[in-house]
Amino acid sequence: QKEVEQNSGPLSVPEGAIASLNCTYSDRGSQSFFWYRQYSGKSPELIMSIYSNGDKEDGRFTAQLNKASQYVSLLIRDSQPSDSATYLCAVSTGNQFYFGTGTSLTVIP
Amino acid sequence: GAGVSQSPSNKVTEKGKDVELRCDPISGHTALYWYRQSLGQGLEFLIYFQGNSAPDKSGLPSDRFSAERTGGSVSTLTIQRTQQEDSAVYLCASSFREAGEAFFGQGTRLTVV
């Protein structure tokens, strides 16, 4: 069974701090890795994609991928109250995306 | 259109009725996915379409669920003889290629009473 595991949280950080979200996956054949943000009552919104080992930065967000350890992470720098949401890790092997159950993040002003 | 469009946004139906949910993917996207999300739960895969290939139906929970994609574009998810446990948000996503970035529509909230 292909699994994606995330810490369910909740994770609370003060405004301006770095939030660190982690994800592990079980299928070594996974090709693509994504982070989605989901506000309460809304659909998931893609915020980062990463396909190869290493870091990928986009504004305040940095995704990190380590295929040997089957580990994906998301760092949010200078966290803002508007970052408060559930963050979903998603892994694709081709024909579908496998989602973690999400980590709830609260940024405290 | 600019994004994935789903209709209706909300649907309330009586137990035992059939419902149809529509998804209009981003133009040019060959891959289309249906997921559902029950309250407070994760995303459950339902079905995947890629171009003209046979769909991956491995996630459909019962034979009451079916989906089609006409002309490689618009998709319709049909639930027959709805049950209360079918109540959930049904999400459609599309991507330009297999395993590429997928973008979700706003979802259809289905309530079976």
Side-chain angles (χ1 to χ4, degrees), chain B residues 19-23 34-36 46-47 60 65-68 75-79 90:
Chain B
V19 295
E20 286 189 352
L21 313 180
R22 175 188 169 103
C23 173
W34 283 97
Y35 285 82
R36 73 176 176 181
L46 297 177
I47 190 169
L60 295 179
F65 288 72
S66 63
E68 63 178 19
S75 178
T76 302
L77 177 68
T78 301
I79 309 173
Y90 288 80

Side-chain angles (χ1 to χ4, degrees), chain A residues 31-32 34 36 38 41 43-44 46 49 51 88 92 94-97 99, chain B residues 33 35 37 43 45 48 56 91 97-106:
Chain A
Q31 304 170 18
S32 313
F34 308 90
Y36 287 83
Q38 187 172 28
S43 63
L46 179 67
S49 61
Y51 301 95
L88 302 171
S92 177
N95 64 335
Q96 65 169 282
F97 291 79
F99 286 85
Chain B
Y33 311 80
Y35 285 82
Q37 188 173 34
L43 275 75
F45 168 73
Y48 164 66
D56 177 353
L91 293 161
R97 63 174 179 83
E98 185 175 277
E101 295 180 339
F103 299 90
F104 282 86
Q106 82 279 17

Side-chain angles (χ1 to χ4, degrees), chain B residues 3 11 19 44 47 74:
Chain B
K11 177 71 176 179
V19 295
E44 176 188 4
I47 190 169
V74 172

Side-chain angles (χ1 to χ4, degrees), chain A:
Chain A
Q1 183 174 353
K2 298 168 183 172
E3 295 181 347
V4 178
E5 301 284 343
Q6 294 182 250
N7 290 334
S8 60
L11 175 66
S12 293
V13 299
E15 184 174 354
I18 295 175
S20 177
L21 306 166
N22 303 314
C23 172
T24 59
Y25 59 95
S26 62
D27 187 354
R28 288 192 173 273
S30 301
Q31 304 170 18
S32 313
F33 307 85
F34 308 90
W35 284 98
Y36 287 83
R37 177 175 63 197
Q38 187 172 28
Y39 293 114
S40 181
K42 301 295 186 181
S43 63
E45 173 192 8
L46 179 67
I47 54 172
M48 287 291 286
S49 61
I50 187 165
Y51 301 95
S52 55
N53 281 328
D55 295 359
K56 179 181 178 182
E57 185 175 318
D58 184 359
R60 295 185 297 110
F61 299 97
T62 298
Q64 299 173 317
L65 173 62
N66 183 326
K67 290 188 177 180
S69 300
Q70 296 174 248
Y71 176 87
V72 192
S73 68
L74 179 70
L75 298 178
I76 306 175
R77 290 182 300 281
D78 188 24
S79 295
Q80 301 297 308
S82 59
D83 295 327
S84 298
T86 296
Y87 288 80
L88 302 171
C89 173
V91 173
S92 177
T93 57
N95 64 335
Q96 65 169 282
F97 291 79
Y98 296 89
F99 286 85
T101 53
T103 299
S104 175
L105 172 66
T106 300
V107 180
I108 303 168

